[in-house]
Amino acid sequence: MKLENRRWTDEEFGQAFREVMSLYPTGREVDLDEAVEYLRALPPEKSVPAAFDRAKRDGLLLLNPRGGVATLEAMTQLLLCLQNEGGADILPVEPDSYSRRNMFQEAAAGLEESQRQGRSMLNGFPLPIHGVATCRRLTESVQRPLVCRSAAPRTQFVNTIAFVSGITEAIGSATGLALCMEYGLDLAQAIQDQQYTARLVGWFQERGVALGLDVNNTVAAGTIAEPSLSIAYGVIDSLIAAEQGARYQSISYQPNHHFVQDLAGMRAQMKLAQHYFTKFGYDWSGLSQAVHQWNGPFPRDPARAYAIIVLSTAIAYLGKARRIMVKSCEEGLGVPTPQANAAGVRATRQVVDMLRGQEFPESPQLREEQAIIETEGRLLIDKVLEVGDGDIAVGAVRAHEAGLIEFPFSINKANKGQMLLARDATGAVRFLDPGHLPFPKEIRQFHQEKLRERQRSEGLEPLEMLVRDLREVRAPFPEAKTRRLV
Amino acid sequence: MGKTVVIGTIGSDCHVVGNWIMARSLEQAGFKVVQLGACVSQEEFIDAAVEAKADAIFVSSLYGMGLFDSEGLREKCIEAGLKDILLYIGGYLVTTRQEWPDIEKQYKDIGFDRVYPPETKPAVAIADLKRDLGLS
C-alpha cells in the first residue's frame, strides 16, 4: 500500500486486521463485533475518553501511573495497589518489550519463567500471550479506566488485544515511536503501522464506542526537547490519527522543567493543534494534553526523585494539562515496586491539591516565549506540509530525509542527526545546532545568544553542556565556578 | 592506540542516552567506537565486532531483561572467532530488587568480564578497559 494520509477503506482495514490477527494464536479469540457489544456495556467509569471529558469539564488533572508485571495474579495486585493505595485516575497496563515488538516466543518464555520463579522476569504484562479472556479478567478486577502503554512502533497486535479486552486507550504515534525506538524501521512503514491502530479506534468510534489514543510523540525518548519539536511531532502524529477517525486523543508535551518555557510551550501546542485540526476539518473537541514527569535518568536518591515529581506536577497543573504520567521515587533504582508507584501517585495528588485554583500570571516573558515557540512550530509543520504537497504523512517522510525536521536524539536511520539541543543558563532548552530546520536567521541567533550566556557563566564547551543535560534532569552548577563565587 | 569498541543497547530495549554518553567518552579517551544504537541483537554485535576487529563489546541494558537478551553471547563470540574479546555490560540489569553482588554474579556467570550498576561514571569503565587491554 502506498503511503497516504487518507482514511483506510473497510477493505484495507479488514485485510490488515486479518493479517495482524494471524501473527499469534490468541488473535483467533478476537471478534470485533462481539467487542463492540462488550465495550458498549462497560460502565462509564471504565472509559478513558469519559474521564477526559470529565477532566475538561471540571478542570481536573488525571493521575496516570505506570506499571506492568508478567503474571495475571501479580498484575491484578499491582493495579489494585495503584487504585486503592495510590488513588490513580487511570490505570496502566504496560506490555513487556517483547510483546510490543511482536516477539511472542520470547514473551511466552518470559511468562513461563516468571511463573516458575515466582517473580516477574518480564518488564511488563504480555497481553498477547495471556489472550482476551485473561486480559478481560484483569480489566474486570478494577474500577478505573485503563490504558495500554504500548510504547513501540509496531503494536497493532497488542493494541487490538487491549481494546477488545476493555482497555479503552492505547499509545499510538505515527512518527514519534519509530523515530524514538527503532533504528532500522522505515518511516513510511511505521506510519502505516500506526494508521492501523488509529483506524481501529475510528472503527469503534463509528459504532458508538469511544476509545482513546495516547499520542506519545517526543516524550518517550528520555532526553530534552525544544518545545516546538514536541508541538510539531504532536500535531503531525495527531493529524494522521484524526484522518483515520480517532477523535479522543491525548497529545503529550515533554516538559523541560522550566516554568516560562513549558507553560508557553503547552499553550502553543494546544493552540496550534486546534489551528491545524480546524484547517483540515477535524473535530478538535476530543483533544487533551498530557505531561510526563521527567522521562530521563532519575537520581537513585528518593528525596531527589520526589523533588522532580513535584516540579513536573506543578508545571502540568499550572499549564492546564489534563493528564500527568506519574513516576515514583524508586525510578532510579530499577523497575519500581507497586507500593513505590502508589506513593508517587499520592505525592502527585498532594501537589495538585495544594495548587487548586491557582493560575500562573501572565507576563511579557511568557508571551515572548510563546510567540517564538509558535513561530517555530508553524515553520516546522508548514514545511512538512509543503514538502508533502499538502499530505502530512508523505511530508513527514520527505522532511526527515532532508533534515527539515528532526526528532531529538533519535536513533532511527531516517533521522538526519544534525540537530543538537542544550539547556541555556536558566534551564530552558535551546537549539545548540538547528541543522537544516527551516528557521530564519533571527531565530537561530536567538538560540545561539541564549546558549552563549550559559557558556560564559559555566565555562563549558558546547558538547560538555549537552552531555551534562543528558546525564541528569539538570546538572548542578560546575563545581569550580561555585567555589569561586562563594 | 587504535583500540576499537563496539557499543549498543541489547535486545528490545530502546534506551540510548547512556550509550550515547559512553560512546562520546570512549572517543574522547582515544578509542575508536562503532555505535550500533538501540534494539541490537547478539548477531549484530558480533557481526560489527568481527568487521571492526573490535577489542571489546560494551552492552547497555536499561529495561531489566538483559539476562534473557545476553545469554549465549559469549558462546556466539567464541564460535565467531572472537575468543578473547572483552564483554562489558551496564545498566538496570534485572526487573526485581536484588543485591548488587547477586546481579553481578549472574552476568559474570554468562560470560561478562565487567558488570556495572546504574550511575557508573564512564571514566570507571574506561579505566577498567585500559587495564584489561594492558594499556595502563
Side-chain angles (χ1 to χ4, degrees), chain A residues 12 18 29 138 158 162 220 286 375 395 407 427-428 430 436 452 471:
Chain A
E12 286 166 335
R18 283 188 296 276
E29 299 165 13
L138 177 73
V158 68
T375 305
F407 192 92
R430 310 294 181 191
H436 291 102
R452 267 201 295 272
R471 273 191 76 99

Side-chain angles (χ1 to χ4, degrees), chain A residues 97-98 101 103 120 330 332 335, chain B residues 12 16 63 69 92 95 97 122:
Chain A
S97 297
Y98 296 137
R101 299 183 81 221
M103 295 168 67
S120 187
E330 290 187 0
V335 179
Chain B
S12 292
V16 283
Y63 72 163
D69 297 328
Y92 293 103
T95 48
R97 251 355 100 65

Side-chain angles (χ1 to χ4, degrees), chain A residues 39 42-60 62 89-90 144-146 167-169 205 208-213 247-249 285-286 288 322-323:
Chain A
L39 289 163
L42 283 184
E45 66 263 24
K46 299 292 281 290
S47 160
V48 170
F52 275 119
D53 278 342
R54 203 171 51 245
K56 276 188 272 191
R57 190 190 64 210
D58 300 340
L60 307 175
L62 301 172
D89 299 303
I90 299 175
R144 298 281 183 280
L146 294 123
I167 296 174
T168 49
E169 191 191 35
Q205 185 77 49
V209 174
L211 297 175
L213 204 60
R247 197 169 99 76
Y248 283 94
Q249 296 191 49
S285 66
S288 48
R322 292 293 158 242
R323 157 163 54 196

Side-chain angles (χ1 to χ4, degrees), chain A residues 396-410:
Chain A
V397 175
R398 291 183 186 158
H400 280 92
E401 281 167 5
L404 293 165
I405 186 165
E406 282 208 42
F407 192 92
F409 307 98
S410 164

Side-chain angles (χ1 to χ4, degrees), chain B residues 46 50 72-83:
Chain B
I46 290 166
V50 169
L73 177 63
R74 174 57 80 187
E75 289 74 16
K76 287 204 191 84
C77 283
I78 294 168
E79 280 167 31
L82 302 168
K83 95 179 150 46

Side-chain angles (χ1 to χ4, degrees), chain A residues 173-187:
Chain A
S173 210
T175 65
L177 293 163
L179 289 165
C180 176
M181 296 187 164
E182 296 268 354
Y183 168 76
L185 183 57
D186 178 64
L187 194 52

Side-chain angles (χ1 to χ4, degrees), chain A residues 123-351:
Chain A
N123 66 350
F125 185 71
L127 298 98
I129 314 304
H130 285 297
V132 176
T134 303
C135 290
R136 282 186 180 176
R137 277 176 61 200
L138 177 73
T139 63
E140 286 166 7
S141 65
V142 295
Q143 283 80 47
R144 298 281 183 280
L146 294 123
V147 52
C148 176
R149 297 209 28 84
S150 42
R154 318 200 72 174
T155 47
Q156 299 100 311
F157 192 93
V158 68
N159 285 343
T160 310
I161 298 281
F163 286 140
V164 304
S165 303
I167 296 174
T168 49
E169 191 191 35
I171 287 182
S173 210
T175 65
L177 293 163
L179 289 165
C180 176
M181 296 187 164
E182 296 268 354
Y183 168 76
L185 183 57
D186 178 64
L187 194 52
Q189 180 63 50
I191 294 172
Q192 289 182 327
D193 291 343
Q194 290 289 320
Q195 281 176 326
Y196 169 90
T197 299
R199 184 64 208 123
L200 182 60
V201 168
W203 187 92
F204 276 108
Q205 185 77 49
E206 288 154 16
R207 284 152 185 80
V209 174
L211 297 175
L213 204 60
D214 177 358
V215 181
N216 218 38
N217 53 74
T218 57
V219 296
T223 60
I224 48 176
E226 206 271 353
S228 67
L229 299 168
S230 291
I231 293 171
Y233 282 100
V235 169
I236 291 166
D237 288 357
S238 60
L239 285 174
I240 293 171
E243 175 62 28
Q244 300 303 326
R247 197 169 99 76
Y248 283 94
Q249 296 191 49
S250 150
I251 308 180
S252 294
Y253 175 82
Q254 179 176 327
N256 294 317
H257 301 88
H258 184 285
F259 277 95
V260 171
Q261 186 177 45
D262 285 334
L263 299 191
M266 289 174 73
R267 286 184 194 183
Q269 188 182 47
M270 288 316 272
K271 187 174 161 190
L272 289 189
Q274 290 175 5
H275 166 79
Y276 286 98
F277 266 58
T278 306
K279 179 182 163 117
F280 288 102
Y282 306 130
D283 171 11
W284 53 260
S285 66
L287 290 184
S288 48
Q289 198 169 34
V291 162
H292 290 232
Q293 293 178 351
W294 174 241
N295 247 343
F298 253 72
R300 291 172 71 83
D301 177 2
R304 292 174 62 205
Y306 268 127
I308 298 173
I309 288 171
V310 169
L311 193 63
S312 297
T313 308
I315 283 168
Y317 184 86
L318 294 171
K320 298 185 166 55
R322 292 293 158 242
R323 157 163 54 196
I324 183 159
M325 293 306 305
V326 175
K327 293 257 180 154
S328 85
C329 69
E330 290 187 0
E331 216 65 39
L333 299 172
V335 179
T337 60
Q339 288 70 28
N341 273 322
V345 180
R346 294 199 302 276
T348 303
R349 179 80 68 200
Q350 180 68 28
V351 179

Side-chain angles (χ1 to χ4, degrees), chain A residues 97-98 101 103 110 113 119-123 181 221-223 298-300 330-337 411 463 466-467 470-471, chain B residues 11-14 16-17 20-21 24 28 36-39 63-65 67-69 92 94-98 106 118-122:
Chain A
S97 297
Y98 296 137
R101 299 183 81 221
M103 295 168 67
E113 191 63 16
R119 62 181 177 187
S120 187
M121 300 299 287
L122 294 173
N123 66 350
M181 296 187 164
T223 60
F298 253 72
R300 291 172 71 83
E330 290 187 0
E331 216 65 39
L333 299 172
V335 179
T337 60
I411 56 157
L463 195 64
L466 168 53
V467 167
L470 292 182
R471 273 191 76 99
Chain B
S12 292
D13 188 345
C14 69
V16 283
V17 174
W20 197 88
I21 292 172
R24 293 280 171 147
Q28 279 173 1
L36 299 178
C39 295
Y63 72 163
M65 304 199 293
L67 267 182
F68 281 134
D69 297 328
Y92 293 103
V94 291
T95 48
T96 48
R97 251 355 100 65
Q98 296 176 41
Q106 292 174 62
E119 290 196 357
T120 303
K121 298 261 189 273

